Amino acid sequence: MTTLRRITPAERRLRLAARHLLAPARRASGPQEVTEALIGLHATDPATVFLSAAARMQAPTAAVIDHALYDATPPLARIRCMRRTMFVTPHHLAPVLHAATVKDAGRSRDAAVEHLRATLGWSPARYAAVEKAALAALTSRGRATAAELATDIPDLREDYAVNAGKSYETRQRVSAPILGTLAAEGRIRRTRPAGSWTSAQFRWEQAEPFPAMPAAEAKTVLARHYLAAFGPVTAADVKWWTGWTLTDTRKVIAATGAEAVELDEGTGYLLPEDNQPPAGSEPEPWVALLPGLDPTPMGWRHRDFYLDPDHTPALFDRNGNIGPTIWADGRIIGAWAQHPDGHINHRLLTDPGRHTRALINNAVQRLAIFLDATRVTPCYRTPVERELAAARPARHG
């Protein structure tokens, strides 16, 4: 019987520090390098993109990140992909992510048409006419927010109840499913938002649909990227991160040629060319302040090698979204939040020692310099983040 190579939690944390550009010596020169290393940055919350990139850059500024997103040639791509989540990803990977993770776009369109029929009595013909008008308005304007398009096309202002009858019922304009469907098909894309880099009021512009790619090929390519960035990983990690079925996950892992290794969680997988201990010396002690929904803490289904399970209730919301966290040498050891007056509070969940506390204070200062006058409130708020955002003066462990 072949004995699998055992990879310890300590080795996994060393890999994380280097591959995810969190050790200071591994920091990137720009946002493109960051997205290449991580495959993509979670973009449901616009601020996450900037904060995730800044945490991994040598000399981060909002202007440099903004340029990479909207003015570079080519710019970084913003698409809805894994688990129907918005990501910012390298331009060359966008077709891969789309083909590997976006389910039948035709079914999504049918679902949107049916939804508006059921909620507002719209006919398929009306949906098609409004969609055509929206595309024409975008052609005329070049770029426009949903609100600007609704000024041109009154039908886009019509709204309906979301979660009708619930205590958290809200209203949503029909522009949301219509523009969302066009974006899922790659026919329009989000561009620079109205307002600051924390704004979610994106402008839209027309785009060329992603080039076709066989789904099986795209899944294999994506899995190899994921294994390279996050490996070793379990099949459960791959399934959770991609949103694939377990059957698809197993087929794709086999297609990558990945080799099995032994983890605390059970069998894990690494690419053959990566199945050896990290070369070189261990990095200097390091600390990083990562934002809510950062791709590192959201990269694995099994998190015990970097997160004490007892800390999960404080750091995650009820839907499994993580808030802002403090990392030290590959582990989550605390949380941070910004007070409305701008100062940054933090709380340690374990005592890391005097030297690490000094590194945390330096990281807080580094983040404050990047934020400058900007105020950031996460889209998904966690118990400890809410407490820290309201606390004054800041607590330092």
Side-chain angles (χ1 to χ4, degrees):
M1 181 176 179
T2 302
T3 301
L4 301 181
R5 183 168 90 84
R6 172 164 170 71
I7 298 183
T8 65
E11 180 178 331
R12 299 184 76 182
R13 290 191 288 269
L14 286 176
R15 289 171 173 269
L16 182 155
R19 308 279 171 96
H20 289 208
L21 311 179
L22 293 173
R26 301 304 294 262
R27 286 177 183 158
S29 59
Q32 183 72 33
E33 187 179 345
V34 175
T35 57
E36 291 282 356
L38 293 162
I39 304 173
L41 305 177
H42 280 254
T44 303
D45 185 337
T48 294
V49 176
F50 283 77
L51 296 175
S52 291
R56 297 168 170 88
M57 289 171 57
Q58 297 163 4
T61 67
V64 168
I65 300 169
D66 181 270
H67 176 83
L69 285 167
Y70 307 114
D71 296 326
T73 305
L76 297 173
R78 186 185 299 266
I79 68 169
R80 193 180 304 277
C81 44
M82 286 76 74
R83 304 186 315 281
R84 295 183 55 79
T85 300
M86 194 66 65
F87 278 81
V88 163
T89 189
H91 187 270
H92 70 92
L93 280 182
V96 174
L97 297 177
H98 185 265
T101 64
V102 175
K103 297 180 180 178
D104 185 356
R107 292 178 61 184
S108 297
R109 169 173 292 277
D110 291 343
V113 172
E114 173 57 24
H115 180 65
L116 293 188
R117 185 204 65 77
T119 55
L120 296 173
W122 278 35
S123 66
R126 184 179 182 188
Y127 183 104
V130 173
E131 179 184 75
K132 182 178 180 180
L135 289 171
L138 272 181
T139 299
S140 176
R141 284 180 174 266
R143 295 177 179 175
T145 64
E148 289 169 340
L149 291 174
T151 299
D152 298 343
I153 307 161
D155 280 353
L156 288 177
R157 301 176 211 160
E158 195 167 348
D159 64 6
Y160 55 90
V162 177
N163 298 311
K166 307 289 187 181
S167 60
Y168 45 89
E169 176 182 322
T170 58
R171 306 291 298 183
Q172 180 170 274
R173 282 186 169 183
V174 300
S175 56
I178 290 177
L179 297 178
T181 298
L182 288 169
E185 295 172 347
R187 297 169 66 189
I188 64 173
R189 65 185 171 209
R190 292 168 174 81
T191 63
R192 183 176 280 111
S196 75
W197 54 266
T198 64
S199 172
Q201 297 181 34
F202 289 98
R203 296 180 177 91
W204 296 90
E205 68 180 7
Q206 293 204 46
E208 291 296 323
F210 296 116
M213 185 176 186
E217 176 187 347
K219 289 179 178 181
T220 302
V221 172
L222 177 57
R224 288 188 62 85
H225 277 278
Y226 177 64
L227 285 162
F230 292 85
V233 295
T234 65
D237 292 326
V238 179
K239 176 182 180 295
W240 181 83
W241 189 82
T242 59
W244 297 334
T245 66
L246 183 56
T247 298
D248 273 358
T249 297
R250 288 169 173 164
K251 289 179 180 177
V252 174
I253 291 174
T256 66
E259 295 179 348
V261 294
E262 179 187 347
L263 305 175
D264 281 0
E265 297 83 359
T267 302
Y269 298 93
L270 274 176
L271 294 175
E273 62 269 27
D274 194 27
N275 193 3
Q276 57 275 327
S281 59
E282 292 189 14
E284 292 293 320
W286 60 270
V287 161
L289 270 60
L290 300 184
L293 296 178
D294 184 85
T296 295
M298 295 296 288
W300 291 269
R301 176 67 180 86
H302 296 297
R303 300 167 175 147
D304 288 1
F305 76 96
Y306 63 85
L307 173 65
D308 184 333
D310 290 341
H311 297 156
T312 298
L315 297 172
F316 288 78
D317 71 8
R318 294 179 180 177
N319 295 317
N321 300 302
I322 198 168
T325 50
I326 299 173
W327 290 66
D329 302 325
R331 291 186 177 94
I332 296 177
I333 63 165
W336 65 272
Q338 188 182 37
H339 188 275
D341 72 5
H343 75 264
I344 296 168
N345 289 332
H346 71 269
R347 179 181 302 166
L348 300 181
L349 302 175
T350 185
D351 184 359
R354 179 183 299 177
H355 180 65
T356 299
R357 289 198 297 272
L359 293 178
I360 291 169
N361 291 333
N362 292 340
V364 167
Q365 293 175 11
R366 185 175 189 267
L367 176 59
I369 291 171
F370 175 78
L371 289 172
D372 193 18
T374 301
R375 302 293 178 263
V376 175
T377 301
C379 284
Y380 301 106
R381 309 197 68 184
T382 60
V384 70
E385 186 276 329
R386 287 182 181 276
E387 293 176 18
L388 289 173
R392 195 167 190 257
R395 287 184 264 180
H396 297 293

